[in-house]
Amino acid sequence: MKAAVDRSLGLAAALILAVAAVASLYSVYEFGQDRFFTVDEYQFGHATWLVSEGERPYLDFYEHHFPLSYVLHAPVLWLDGSFSERILRLRKVPFVYLALLSGVLVAAGYAVTRNRFVALLSAFVPMTLGFGLMSAIDYRADSFSACLFLACLALLEANLGANRRDRGDRGEPGGWNRRSVAVVCGVLFMAAVLMTQKMAFVAGTTLAIWAAFHFWRGMKPHSSGSMLQPPVVFTGFFSAAAAGVLVVALGTGAVLGLLPAAFQATILDAIEHERVYPTSSSLGRYLVPFWSATRISTLALLVCGGVYVASRPGRFWRVPIAAAMAAAMLARTQYPYNYVLVSMLIVLCAVRGWSQLVEGMAQRFAMAGRLRPILYLLPLAVLPAQHDFLTRASSNEQQINLLRKIEAFSDENDVVIDNAGGALFRHHGSYYFHHGKAHRRMFSSYFEGQLIDDYRRSRALFWIADYRLGDLPRQALLFWRRHYIRADLNLYTLGFETPETFDVPVEIEIDVIRAGAYHVHPLVPGAARAELVVDSREIGSGTVHLEEGRHRVTALPHSAPMLVSLLPPEAFEPWVYGTRHYTRLFEFEVPTAR
């Protein structure tokens, strides 16, 4: 009877953990669909769309990241859909990574611990610590790379068991010893590196330190609790799989003629980018409110994680944690996205640490042994505070509405200017479409000169005024002010305004960079139509055809201010409300109570 009750209690606890994991995944999915889009997501998303359209990175457009992210995910954008549907589809990509990682961690966790509760708690690793999760749901290579490398590490740890039955009988970690798993680990390892150069440091440092322990300190292959068992990692299977992925990537680049430009952009320019990027840290803007809102739950995770890392079974994870933390802290700019992998590692170790505490109590106290399944449910108490912090972030509604306006009033041949590919599914105005601080320094001659020529030749219909606009050279700002007028919040379009006149006419000179039928309508809806003369032609209808070049426009006496634009009057109706910038580098706001 007692055994039956214990089995029922254990089954109920396992079922609760499974249901909670699914509910947490759904919560993360909704958060990802609602969360604002950062400026870096536009860069990765726009590059992905360009590749999906057949353009070649480094040759047809400039990019300084490794290419796997936008090459691998380009097929996602082959499916039809509106701009809003496609941008939200991009946000489903990181969610899929998080969900698959949860599944890998469950399987690997059970293989290592032979504990179903630890395995089920491992599902929460990618979706628990809010500080990392606020960036983990981003469509950016850092997030994908973190998921791939953590999956690689989890499978490596599970693949350490050369004699699972003997070790399992002693209550020590079990595992696998399969060549197929070593191959998968090699593929995941190289895929993580090809996502972003940052992972080359983390993954390379981790393997280098492990290799040093093995070759120079004489680690025994089958010693219990070893940091790494060489037969798994340093066999030809792991290395051949990793090398195979790299060869395929380099071979594809060679066939497409990308390698020289790719080497310049992703290696030489990336090194220069890191050198000239101004050192700054905005970490406190996000860490302070996060700590204030989640102090108790975060401290519990840190303590449990520390308990595990300090123990003998936790030795495997010390090197990856140290490498990931070093990479995050050495970054010249400090933002939460640097700590996605670190956050996941903390939670994974916290799960193991809590398991050690529970099992220790179960062995010493009879009551703890009876309540063991209940004790494994207690970690769920950290979720409300961590997820509540996330759900109060600002939304992407304003950004999606602006994309809808661009889609509604432009076609596939139109160009949109901004500093990060913010229109996503419309072409940009220059080869260097991403205008970061380092790029403006590295390519200063281009930004000071040719940029304006490219903008003029692009005849861009729209210009998105994001937070980087004010950092462009003075000539670029003058070009923007002379040729673009506000259509909606931070969205500007080709056109000009005529002044209000009183008793005397006012003449202005305009520079038209795109020929077409220009609509003429009052700046203030409902105002009387102005009397305008363009190149000695009176405008008697709602449109006037203007060729490229300079024109003289005269507003006759007692004329209201008018808008002259390629867009119809309805395009100027305010669709978007708010005062926030359209694309921020990184943004996380906890709204004040209304």
Side-chain angles (χ1 to χ4, degrees):
M1 182 67 178
K2 178 182 176 182
V5 171
D6 289 344
R7 284 196 300 270
S8 298
L9 189 61
L11 182 60
L15 183 60
I16 291 173
L17 287 175
V19 171
V22 174
S24 295
L25 274 173
Y26 180 73
S27 175
V28 170
Y29 173 80
E30 285 200 317
F31 169 62
Q33 293 293 286
D34 293 337
R35 183 185 178 277
F36 60 87
F37 297 93
T38 67
V39 69
D40 288 351
E41 288 187 271
Y42 285 123
Q43 180 185 358
F44 281 106
H46 184 58
T48 302
W49 176 75
L50 291 171
V51 171
S52 75
E53 292 288 298
E55 296 200 24
R56 299 166 299 172
Y58 318 120
L59 292 180
D60 298 324
F61 63 93
Y62 184 80
E63 247 294 304
H64 64 272
H65 294 97
F66 283 165
L68 186 58
S69 173
Y70 36 84
V71 172
L72 186 63
H73 304 134
V76 172
L77 296 177
W78 290 346
L79 302 175
D80 292 333
S82 65
F83 280 18
S84 59
E85 291 171 338
R86 280 191 275 180
I87 191 173
L88 292 176
R89 191 186 304 150
L90 287 178
R91 268 286 176 80
K92 291 178 174 65
V93 172
F95 170 77
V96 170
Y97 275 80
L98 295 175
L100 291 176
L101 177 60
S102 291
V104 170
L105 293 176
V106 168
Y110 185 75
V112 170
T113 66
R114 314 307 292 178
N115 185 321
R116 59 178 174 174
F117 297 114
V118 173
L120 288 170
L121 283 174
S122 297
F124 295 88
V125 168
M127 51 188 178
T128 294
L129 194 63
F131 190 72
L133 187 55
M134 72 169 90
S135 291
I137 201 65
D138 283 1
Y139 182 81
R140 56 180 301 133
D142 304 67
S143 303
F144 309 140
S145 184
C147 290
L148 292 171
F149 188 55
L150 183 53
C152 171
L153 293 175
L155 292 175
L156 279 177
E157 184 195 27
N159 215 28
L160 291 180
N163 192 338
R164 185 178 66 187
R165 287 179 297 176
D166 292 343
R167 298 174 66 192
D169 290 343
R170 296 199 303 268
E172 295 177 3
W176 308 313
N177 189 19
R178 300 173 184 170
R179 295 172 178 176
S180 59
V181 177
V183 169
V184 171
C185 290
V187 171
L188 291 173
F189 175 86
M190 187 53 64
V193 171
L194 291 178
M195 284 287 180
T196 171
Q197 296 94 319
K198 298 175 187 176
M199 189 52 68
F201 175 87
V202 178
T205 299
T206 299
L207 282 194
I209 294 176
W210 278 343
F213 270 102
H214 171 55
F215 291 111
W216 298 322
R217 296 191 181 186
M219 293 182 64
K220 297 180 181 180
H222 303 302
S223 68
S224 176
S226 292
M227 187 180 301
L228 181 71
Q229 287 204 1
V232 173
V233 176
F234 298 104
T235 58
F237 296 98
F238 177 92
S239 302
V245 174
L246 181 60
V247 167
V248 170
L250 293 177
T252 303
V255 170
L256 296 176
L258 302 179
L259 291 187
F263 180 78
Q264 176 67 44
T266 64
I267 304 298
L268 301 181
D269 286 356
I271 294 173
E272 180 68 7
H273 183 280
E274 187 65 13
R275 188 186 71 82
V276 304
Y277 203 100
T279 302
S280 63
S281 176
S282 298
L283 204 61
R285 290 174 52 192
Y286 316 107
L287 189 57
V288 170
F290 168 75
W291 178 255
S292 299
T294 66
R295 186 180 292 109
I296 296 176
S297 59
T298 300
L299 186 60
L301 291 170
L302 291 173
V303 170
C304 290
V307 167
Y308 180 70
V309 173
S311 68
R312 185 178 182 84
R315 292 177 63 190
F316 175 88
W317 295 99
R318 293 175 188 171
V319 174
I321 289 176
M325 182 62 75
M329 296 182 67
L330 289 173
R332 295 180 68 89
T333 54
Q334 290 294 304
Y335 285 99
Y337 56 74
N338 295 323
Y339 293 87
V340 172
L341 179 58
V342 173
S343 297
M344 293 180 181
L345 289 170
I346 289 172
V347 180
L348 185 145
C349 292
V351 168
R352 302 285 183 83
W354 179 250
S355 173
Q356 287 184 335
L357 294 174
V358 170
E359 296 303 323
M361 288 187 293
Q363 292 178 7
R364 296 187 60 181
F365 306 105
M367 181 59 70
R370 293 291 307 275
L371 298 178
R372 179 171 167 268
I374 304 300
L375 294 176
Y376 274 109
L377 295 179
L378 292 182
L380 297 181
V382 306
L383 293 176
Q386 298 289 332
H387 284 195
D388 183 60
F389 173 74
L390 295 173
T391 55
R392 293 180 292 156
S394 51
S395 77
N396 57 28
E397 181 181 6
Q398 173 179 310
Q399 297 167 302
I400 289 177
N401 283 340
L402 216 54
L403 286 175
R404 285 172 176 161
K405 175 162 281 191
I406 292 174
E407 180 180 22
F409 293 100
S410 65
D411 59 43
E412 59 184 11
N413 297 317
D414 283 318
V415 171
V416 179
I417 295 173
D418 89 321
N419 298 293
L424 286 176
F425 313 116
R426 290 286 184 257
H427 286 280
H428 48 264
S430 64
Y431 172 71
Y432 297 101
F433 74 89
H434 185 251
H435 301 164
K437 293 179 180 178
H439 295 109
R440 294 195 300 271
R441 295 185 181 185
M442 293 166 59
F443 311 116
S444 58
S445 60
Y446 172 83
F447 278 90
E448 295 289 345
Q450 187 180 339
L451 178 67
I452 303 303
D453 295 333
D454 286 348
Y455 280 173
R456 178 178 287 274
R457 282 193 295 268
S458 75
R459 299 177 177 86
L461 179 62
F462 286 113
W463 189 319
I464 301 171
D466 61 15
Y467 83 107
R468 286 175 173 162
L469 178 64
D471 296 327
L472 291 180
R474 181 173 177 272
Q475 297 91 324
L477 291 176
L478 290 175
F479 181 84
W480 168 64
R481 290 169 182 157
R482 289 170 179 169
H483 297 92
Y484 291 85
I485 56 177
R486 186 191 297 271
D488 194 345
L489 199 59
N490 294 85
L491 184 65
Y492 290 73
T493 187
L494 275 178
F496 59 94
E497 296 181 12
T498 64
E500 181 180 9
T501 62
F502 296 95
D503 294 330
V504 295
V506 175
E507 184 179 273
I508 61 174
E509 184 179 72
I510 61 171
D511 179 22
V512 175
I513 63 174
R514 175 170 170 171
Y518 281 73
H519 299 266
V520 182
H521 53 94
L523 174 64
V524 179
R529 183 176 301 280
E531 296 293 333
L532 300 180
V533 177
V534 179
D535 296 335
S536 303
R537 294 176 298 156
E538 291 191 10
I539 300 177
S541 65
T543 61
V544 57
H545 184 84
L546 297 177
E547 296 291 342
E548 291 186 23
R550 297 188 176 276
H551 302 268
R552 291 193 175 277
V553 178
T554 302
L556 300 179
H558 306 292
S559 293
M562 305 294 288
L563 293 177
V564 182
S565 170
L566 287 169
L567 299 186
E570 56 268 24
F572 291 84
E573 296 175 0
W575 286 12
V576 182
Y577 302 92
T579 58
R580 293 187 299 105
H581 287 286
Y582 177 50
T583 50
R584 298 287 297 178
L585 180 63
F586 194 87
E587 179 183 350
F588 191 85
E589 298 176 353
V590 178
T592 57
R594 289 183 174 87

